[in-house]
Amino acid sequence: MKPLLAALARQPLSHPPVWVMRQAGRYLPEYRALRERHSFQEAVSTPAVAAEITLQPIRRFAMDGAVIFADIMTPLEAMGVDMTFAPGPKLRPHTLAEIAALPELDLDRVSFVAETIGRVGVELPDTTAVIGFCGAPMTLLAYLVEGGGSKDFLAFRGEVRRDEGAARAALDHLARAMTAYLKMQFEAGADVVQLFDSWAGLFDTDQYRRMVAPAAGAIASTLDGPVIYFAPGAGHALGEQLAVGAGAYGVDWRRPIDEYWDELGDVALQGNLDPAVLLTDPGTIKKEVGELIARVGNRTGHIVNLGHGIHRTTPPEHVQALVDAVRGG
Ligand code: 1CP
């Protein structure tokens, strides 16, 4: 069995599998070179290019998982939402009612993602898992209402407070679309999928319980394959995250992994090095990895990763140092 899948099944392993969130991206010179010739959206929607970008970090570092090159916003374009990337998504702010009334996801308009998965699967070593993904409903809603990224998403939070019923209708619609999108990814050959709930932490514990977890849970509960749920900055709602019903959780670096594990209980955990560790030096990286693995102790089901995406200023050699440290080099 592929080591990443064995960890998700909580089997004992001699060393944990490792991959890095945002491993296919701007810190790699070969990525930046390809992006000089293709816009972001063109790269995502051209399977040969998207597969090449997915494979770039695997060729260098032989991670245990290859995350498909796309964006959490990609399927929304196939629901009729126009956007550009500069570098993050930019779009017209939408009302909650407009979002609930968006057309159904047209899977034919995202079939390039399935084709990328197929191409990547053929090229990968047998031991490397294909990781599909989508944005969780509340995080997608944040970008749709705000019209792009934001430090605190205040306008969005105001809208959700003003009309929770309308927010729920929009979340339900997005959850149905993302369920179909992830089913397509599994059918195309994804071994595991990750739900990115990057902005779930903006909500208080009650809102999280009432809206955020049920929307993500509606996706996780209807899929047959393994699901990793990642809600950075939502440690205040850690127990509530269990209602999502994922078999594995990504955790940020704000608390040591053993504390997260004690509270979450019988699940696999992914994380949780501070991305800043990769800005240090190989010696420090090795020490931090050693401490992380020591904290995990004899628990099964650990996947080494960062507690958030890799920073674009990270030297690629430091990613090599991380992988070597995990594998005992
Ligand atoms: O070349 C460029 O300038 C584009 C930069 C870029 C990249 C490499 C964007 C725009 N998206 C991506 C790829 C991407 N995004 C992947 C696949 C590659 C990989 O992981 O290796 C994934 C899984 C994502 C996920 C994503 N996109 C998230 C969730 C993870 C997180 O960081 O919290 C979010 C919030 C986004 C939105 C987004 N898209 C792009 C950027 C720069 C952002 C975030 C910035 C913002 O909020 O404005």
Side-chain angles (χ1 to χ4, degrees):
M1 196 190 270
K2 300 180 181 187
L4 186 62
L5 297 184
L8 288 165
R10 313 216 37 215
Q11 294 177 7
L13 292 166
S14 57
H15 56 76
V18 54
W19 69 283
V20 174
M21 287 184 280
R22 297 291 193 105
Q23 68 190 15
R26 288 177 287 177
Y27 72 104
L28 284 178
E30 57 269 37
Y31 172 81
R32 295 196 298 269
L34 258 181
R35 279 278 283 102
E36 278 177 22
R37 289 190 276 127
H38 305 277
S39 72
F40 179 73
Q41 279 150 310
E42 194 179 285
V44 165
S45 60
T46 310
V49 178
E52 173 58 25
I53 294 173
T54 301
L55 293 165
Q56 282 175 343
I58 309 303
R59 292 206 187 95
R60 267 194 193 242
F61 314 114
M63 276 99 165
D64 294 292
V67 61
I68 293 301
F69 182 72
D71 193 72
I72 60 167
M73 302 299 283
T74 301
L76 300 181
E77 298 187 83
M79 296 173 80
V81 179
D82 290 327
M83 66 187 77
T84 54
F85 285 82
K90 305 275 180 277
L91 52 150
R92 172 177 75 77
H94 288 63
T95 66
L96 294 172
E98 282 175 334
I99 296 160
L102 285 174
E104 296 290 322
L105 171 67
D106 181 354
L107 286 177
D108 289 341
R109 286 181 64 188
V110 276
S111 57
F112 54 81
V113 174
E115 204 185 310
T116 300
I117 290 172
R119 282 173 180 254
V120 166
V122 172
E123 299 268 333
L124 280 180
D126 293 345
T127 51
T128 312
V130 177
I131 305 168
F133 71 92
C134 74
M138 190 60 99
T139 289
L140 296 177
L141 195 64
Y143 283 98
L144 284 165
V145 171
E146 201 82 30
S150 159
K151 195 164 74 67
D152 50 17
F153 286 90
L154 211 56
F156 163 60
R157 286 154 64 195
E159 282 307 294
V160 173
R161 295 255 177 213
R162 201 172 59 75
D163 193 346
E164 191 168 313
R168 281 169 189 269
L171 290 168
D172 284 350
H173 188 39
L174 293 170
R176 277 193 307 275
M178 291 311 110
T179 302
Y181 181 55
L182 291 182
K183 281 193 173 150
M184 179 196 80
Q185 295 186 40
F186 273 127
E187 279 163 19
D191 292 303
V192 47
V193 296
Q194 177 154 325
L195 294 185
F196 284 94
D197 217 347
S198 307
W199 300 108
L202 293 172
F203 292 95
D204 69 46
T205 314
D206 278 339
Q207 289 180 304
Y208 185 89
R209 193 183 294 121
R210 287 199 308 273
M211 291 182 284
V212 183
I219 302 174
S221 64
T222 45
L223 295 171
D224 291 330
V227 177
I228 304 169
Y229 175 72
F230 175 56
H236 58 288
L238 195 62
E240 286 76 7
Q241 289 186 35
L242 287 172
V244 172
Y249 288 81
V251 286
D252 67 26
W253 70 93
R254 292 174 178 84
R255 289 171 69 190
I257 198 161
D258 47 322
E259 289 188 18
Y260 280 127
W261 224 320
D262 288 346
E263 283 188 35
L264 284 168
D266 192 17
V267 292
L269 280 201
Q270 173 172 284
N272 70 340
L273 293 168
D274 182 349
V277 167
L278 292 189
L279 303 179
T280 61
D281 57 81
T284 306
I285 292 166
K286 188 170 182 182
K287 179 175 79 61
E288 295 270 357
V289 168
E291 286 170 13
L292 170 63
I293 288 173
R295 279 192 176 271
V296 170
N298 55 19
R299 294 173 174 92
T300 55
H302 182 216
I303 299 160
V304 175
N305 204 316
L306 305 179
H308 206 162
I310 186 170
H311 195 264
R312 64 185 160 73
T313 60
T314 304
E317 313 82 73
H318 290 181
V319 178
Q320 187 67 58
L322 164 68
V323 172
D324 289 348
V326 173
R327 296 185 177 152

PDB file of all heavy atoms in Angstrom, residues 123-144:
ATOM      1  N   GLU A 123       2.455   8.826 -14.615  1.00  0.00           N
ATOM      2  CA  GLU A 123       3.868   9.216 -14.470  1.00  0.00           C
ATOM      3  C   GLU A 123       4.456   8.934 -13.092  1.00  0.00           C
ATOM      4  O   GLU A 123       5.668   8.830 -12.938  1.00  0.00           O
ATOM      5  CB  GLU A 123       4.017  10.729 -14.730  1.00  0.00           C
ATOM      6  CG  GLU A 123       3.606  11.163 -16.117  1.00  0.00           C
ATOM      7  CD  GLU A 123       4.780  11.163 -17.088  1.00  0.00           C
ATOM      8  OE1 GLU A 123       5.925  11.344 -16.628  1.00  0.00           O
ATOM      9  OE2 GLU A 123       4.531  10.969 -18.294  1.00  0.00           O
ATOM     10  N   LEU A 124       3.592   8.858 -12.092  1.00  0.00           N
ATOM     11  CA  LEU A 124       4.099   8.774 -10.710  1.00  0.00           C
ATOM     12  C   LEU A 124       4.671   7.413 -10.378  1.00  0.00           C
ATOM     13  O   LEU A 124       4.189   6.394 -10.884  1.00  0.00           O
ATOM     14  CB  LEU A 124       2.957   9.023  -9.719  1.00  0.00           C
ATOM     15  CG  LEU A 124       2.521  10.447  -9.434  1.00  0.00           C
ATOM     16  CD1 LEU A 124       1.379  10.412  -8.423  1.00  0.00           C
ATOM     17  CD2 LEU A 124       3.672  11.293  -8.916  1.00  0.00           C
ATOM     18  N   PRO A 125       5.663   7.364  -9.472  1.00  0.00           N
ATOM     19  CA  PRO A 125       6.071   6.066  -8.911  1.00  0.00           C
ATOM     20  C   PRO A 125       4.873   5.403  -8.211  1.00  0.00           C
ATOM     21  O   PRO A 125       3.974   6.108  -7.740  1.00  0.00           O
ATOM     22  CB  PRO A 125       7.131   6.444  -7.869  1.00  0.00           C
ATOM     23  CG  PRO A 125       7.508   7.864  -8.125  1.00  0.00           C
ATOM     24  CD  PRO A 125       6.392   8.502  -8.894  1.00  0.00           C
ATOM     25  N   ASP A 126       4.861   4.056  -8.161  1.00  0.00           N
ATOM     26  CA  ASP A 126       3.734   3.319  -7.564  1.00  0.00           C
ATOM     27  C   ASP A 126       3.467   3.712  -6.125  1.00  0.00           C
ATOM     28  O   ASP A 126       2.375   3.503  -5.608  1.00  0.00           O
ATOM     29  CB  ASP A 126       4.037   1.806  -7.558  1.00  0.00           C
ATOM     30  CG  ASP A 126       4.083   1.249  -8.955  1.00  0.00           C
ATOM     31  OD1 ASP A 126       3.607   1.953  -9.872  1.00  0.00           O
ATOM     32  OD2 ASP A 126       4.612   0.138  -9.118  1.00  0.00           O
ATOM     33  N   THR A 127       4.509   4.210  -5.444  1.00  0.00           N
ATOM     34  CA  THR A 127       4.365   4.476  -4.006  1.00  0.00           C
ATOM     35  C   THR A 127       3.833   5.879  -3.707  1.00  0.00           C
ATOM     36  O   THR A 127       3.601   6.207  -2.547  1.00  0.00           O
ATOM     37  CB  THR A 127       5.736   4.329  -3.310  1.00  0.00           C
ATOM     38  OG1 THR A 127       6.688   5.124  -4.040  1.00  0.00           O
ATOM     39  CG2 THR A 127       6.191   2.881  -3.295  1.00  0.00           C
ATOM     40  N   THR A 128       3.659   6.715  -4.738  1.00  0.00           N
ATOM     41  CA  THR A 128       3.235   8.097  -4.501  1.00  0.00           C
ATOM     42  C   THR A 128       1.726   8.229  -4.671  1.00  0.00           C
ATOM     43  O   THR A 128       1.166   7.804  -5.690  1.00  0.00           O
ATOM     44  CB  THR A 128       3.934   9.056  -5.493  1.00  0.00           C
ATOM     45  OG1 THR A 128       5.318   8.756  -5.502  1.00  0.00           O
ATOM     46  CG2 THR A 128       3.717  10.511  -5.098  1.00  0.00           C
ATOM     47  N   ALA A 129       1.069   8.824  -3.692  1.00  0.00           N
ATOM     48  CA  ALA A 129      -0.389   8.991  -3.740  1.00  0.00           C
ATOM     49  C   ALA A 129      -0.758  10.259  -4.514  1.00  0.00           C
ATOM     50  O   ALA A 129      -0.066  11.269  -4.440  1.00  0.00           O
ATOM     51  CB  ALA A 129      -0.937   9.079  -2.320  1.00  0.00           C
ATOM     52  N   VAL A 130      -1.871  10.190  -5.252  1.00  0.00           N
ATOM     53  CA  VAL A 130      -2.422  11.359  -5.942  1.00  0.00           C
ATOM     54  C   VAL A 130      -3.426  12.040  -5.003  1.00  0.00           C
ATOM     55  O   VAL A 130      -4.368  11.404  -4.529  1.00  0.00           O
ATOM     56  CB  VAL A 130      -3.124  10.946  -7.249  1.00  0.00           C
ATOM     57  CG1 VAL A 130      -3.765  12.164  -7.925  1.00  0.00           C
ATOM     58  CG2 VAL A 130      -2.153  10.251  -8.197  1.00  0.00           C
ATOM     59  N   ILE A 131      -3.174  13.324  -4.722  1.00  0.00           N
ATOM     60  CA  ILE A 131      -4.019  14.062  -3.787  1.00  0.00           C
ATOM     61  C   ILE A 131      -4.891  15.054  -4.563  1.00  0.00           C
ATOM     62  O   ILE A 131      -4.385  15.991  -5.182  1.00  0.00           O
ATOM     63  CB  ILE A 131      -3.159  14.829  -2.751  1.00  0.00           C
ATOM     64  CG1 ILE A 131      -2.207  13.861  -2.021  1.00  0.00           C
ATOM     65  CG2 ILE A 131      -4.057  15.577  -1.752  1.00  0.00           C
ATOM     66  CD1 ILE A 131      -1.135  14.574  -1.196  1.00  0.00           C
ATOM     67  N   GLY A 132      -6.195  14.829  -4.556  1.00  0.00           N
ATOM     68  CA  GLY A 132      -7.139  15.791  -5.122  1.00  0.00           C
ATOM     69  C   GLY A 132      -7.567  16.765  -4.041  1.00  0.00           C
ATOM     70  O   GLY A 132      -7.223  16.598  -2.872  1.00  0.00           O
ATOM     71  N   PHE A 133      -8.298  17.788  -4.393  1.00  0.00           N
ATOM     72  CA  PHE A 133      -8.743  18.730  -3.360  1.00  0.00           C
ATOM     73  C   PHE A 133      -9.878  19.615  -3.860  1.00  0.00           C
ATOM     74  O   PHE A 133     -10.162  19.681  -5.062  1.00  0.00           O
ATOM     75  CB  PHE A 133      -7.583  19.630  -2.884  1.00  0.00           C
ATOM     76  CG  PHE A 133      -7.137  20.660  -3.889  1.00  0.00           C
ATOM     77  CD1 PHE A 133      -7.688  21.933  -3.892  1.00  0.00           C
ATOM     78  CD2 PHE A 133      -6.172  20.366  -4.832  1.00  0.00           C
ATOM     79  CE1 PHE A 133      -7.282  22.900  -4.809  1.00  0.00           C
ATOM     80  CE2 PHE A 133      -5.761  21.317  -5.760  1.00  0.00           C
ATOM     81  CZ  PHE A 133      -6.312  22.582  -5.756  1.00  0.00           C
ATOM     82  N   CYS A 134     -10.500  20.297  -2.887  1.00  0.00           N
ATOM     83  CA  CYS A 134     -11.416  21.399  -3.205  1.00  0.00           C
ATOM     84  C   CYS A 134     -11.422  22.343  -2.014  1.00  0.00           C
ATOM     85  O   CYS A 134     -10.883  22.025  -0.954  1.00  0.00           O
ATOM     86  CB  CYS A 134     -12.830  20.883  -3.494  1.00  0.00           C
ATOM     87  SG  CYS A 134     -13.730  20.349  -2.037  1.00  0.00           S
ATOM     88  N   GLY A 135     -12.020  23.510  -2.195  1.00  0.00           N
ATOM     89  CA  GLY A 135     -12.252  24.410  -1.081  1.00  0.00           C
ATOM     90  C   GLY A 135     -13.496  23.949  -0.345  1.00  0.00           C
ATOM     91  O   GLY A 135     -14.458  23.487  -0.970  1.00  0.00           O
ATOM     92  N   ALA A 136     -13.491  24.040   0.975  1.00  0.00           N
ATOM     93  CA  ALA A 136     -14.711  23.735   1.740  1.00  0.00           C
ATOM     94  C   ALA A 136     -15.715  24.873   1.511  1.00  0.00           C
ATOM     95  O   ALA A 136     -15.331  26.004   1.202  1.00  0.00           O
ATOM     96  CB  ALA A 136     -14.374  23.573   3.219  1.00  0.00           C
ATOM     97  N   PRO A 137     -17.016  24.581   1.666  1.00  0.00           N
ATOM     98  CA  PRO A 137     -18.035  25.577   1.295  1.00  0.00           C
ATOM     99  C   PRO A 137     -17.871  26.943   1.956  1.00  0.00           C
ATOM    100  O   PRO A 137     -17.992  27.972   1.278  1.00  0.00           O
ATOM    101  CB  PRO A 137     -19.341  24.891   1.715  1.00  0.00           C
ATOM    102  CG  PRO A 137     -19.044  23.429   1.547  1.00  0.00           C
ATOM    103  CD  PRO A 137     -17.616  23.268   1.978  1.00  0.00           C
ATOM    104  N   MET A 138     -17.579  27.014   3.247  1.00  0.00           N
ATOM    105  CA  MET A 138     -17.508  28.330   3.891  1.00  0.00           C
ATOM    106  C   MET A 138     -16.345  29.154   3.345  1.00  0.00           C
ATOM    107  O   MET A 138     -16.449  30.373   3.200  1.00  0.00           O
ATOM    108  CB  MET A 138     -17.400  28.187   5.409  1.00  0.00           C
ATOM    109  CG  MET A 138     -17.568  29.492   6.144  1.00  0.00           C
ATOM    110  SD  MET A 138     -19.191  30.298   5.841  1.00  0.00           S
ATOM    111  CE  MET A 138     -20.105  29.790   7.310  1.00  0.00           C
ATOM    112  N   THR A 139     -15.244  28.493   3.014  1.00  0.00           N
ATOM    113  CA  THR A 139     -14.083  29.208   2.469  1.00  0.00           C
ATOM    114  C   THR A 139     -14.366  29.710   1.046  1.00  0.00           C
ATOM    115  O   THR A 139     -14.012  30.839   0.698  1.00  0.00           O
ATOM    116  CB  THR A 139     -12.848  28.285   2.549  1.00  0.00           C
ATOM    117  OG1 THR A 139     -12.499  28.170   3.936  1.00  0.00           O
ATOM    118  CG2 THR A 139     -11.661  28.816   1.765  1.00  0.00           C
ATOM    119  N   LEU A 140     -15.036  28.913   0.238  1.00  0.00           N
ATOM    120  CA  LEU A 140     -15.423  29.383  -1.097  1.00  0.00           C
ATOM    121  C   LEU A 140     -16.396  30.554  -0.988  1.00  0.00           C
ATOM    122  O   LEU A 140     -16.297  31.539  -1.728  1.00  0.00           O
ATOM    123  CB  LEU A 140     -16.073  28.238  -1.884  1.00  0.00           C
ATOM    124  CG  LEU A 140     -15.165  27.044  -2.180  1.00  0.00           C
ATOM    125  CD1 LEU A 140     -15.962  25.954  -2.887  1.00  0.00           C
ATOM    126  CD2 LEU A 140     -13.970  27.462  -3.028  1.00  0.00           C
ATOM    127  N   LEU A 141     -17.336  30.441  -0.038  1.00  0.00           N
ATOM    128  CA  LEU A 141     -18.308  31.522   0.158  1.00  0.00           C
ATOM    129  C   LEU A 141     -17.598  32.829   0.519  1.00  0.00           C
ATOM    130  O   LEU A 141     -17.984  33.905   0.049  1.00  0.00           O
ATOM    131  CB  LEU A 141     -19.292  31.114   1.267  1.00  0.00           C
ATOM    132  CG  LEU A 141     -20.577  31.942   1.374  1.00  0.00           C
ATOM    133  CD1 LEU A 141     -21.429  31.784   0.113  1.00  0.00           C
ATOM    134  CD2 LEU A 141     -21.388  31.513   2.608  1.00  0.00           C
ATOM    135  N   ALA A 142     -16.554  32.729   1.327  1.00  0.00           N
ATOM    136  CA  ALA A 142     -15.791  33.919   1.732  1.00  0.00           C
ATOM    137  C   ALA A 142     -15.253  34.664   0.506  1.00  0.00           C
ATOM    138  O   ALA A 142     -15.422  35.884   0.383  1.00  0.00           O
ATOM    139  CB  ALA A 142     -14.646  33.514   2.660  1.00  0.00           C
ATOM    140  N   TYR A 143     -14.632  33.938  -0.423  1.00  0.00           N
ATOM    141  CA  TYR A 143     -14.078  34.580  -1.623  1.00  0.00           C
ATOM    142  C   TYR A 143     -15.179  35.125  -2.529  1.00  0.00           C
ATOM    143  O   TYR A 143     -15.033  36.193  -3.131  1.00  0.00           O
ATOM    144  CB  TYR A 143     -13.189  33.598  -2.402  1.00  0.00           C
ATOM    145  CG  TYR A 143     -11.830  33.407  -1.759  1.00  0.00           C
ATOM    146  CD1 TYR A 143     -11.572  32.327  -0.949  1.00  0.00           C
ATOM    147  CD2 TYR A 143     -10.815  34.334  -1.966  1.00  0.00           C
ATOM    148  CE1 TYR A 143     -10.331  32.158  -0.341  1.00  0.00           C
ATOM    149  CE2 TYR A 143      -9.568  34.180  -1.368  1.00  0.00           C
ATOM    150  CZ  TYR A 143      -9.343  33.086  -0.554  1.00  0.00           C
ATOM    151  OH  TYR A 143      -8.122  32.932   0.039  1.00  0.00           O
ATOM    152  N   LEU A 144     -16.281  34.387  -2.635  1.00  0.00           N
ATOM    153  CA  LEU A 144     -17.371  34.822  -3.521  1.00  0.00           C
ATOM    154  C   LEU A 144     -18.016  36.108  -3.016  1.00  0.00           C
ATOM    155  O   LEU A 144     -18.321  37.007  -3.792  1.00  0.00           O
ATOM    156  CB  LEU A 144     -18.437  33.714  -3.620  1.00  0.00           C
ATOM    157  CG  LEU A 144     -18.067  32.518  -4.499  1.00  0.00           C
ATOM    158  CD1 LEU A 144     -19.009  31.340  -4.224  1.00  0.00           C
ATOM    159  CD2 LEU A 144     -18.136  32.892  -5.983  1.00  0.00           C
TER     160      LEU A 144
END
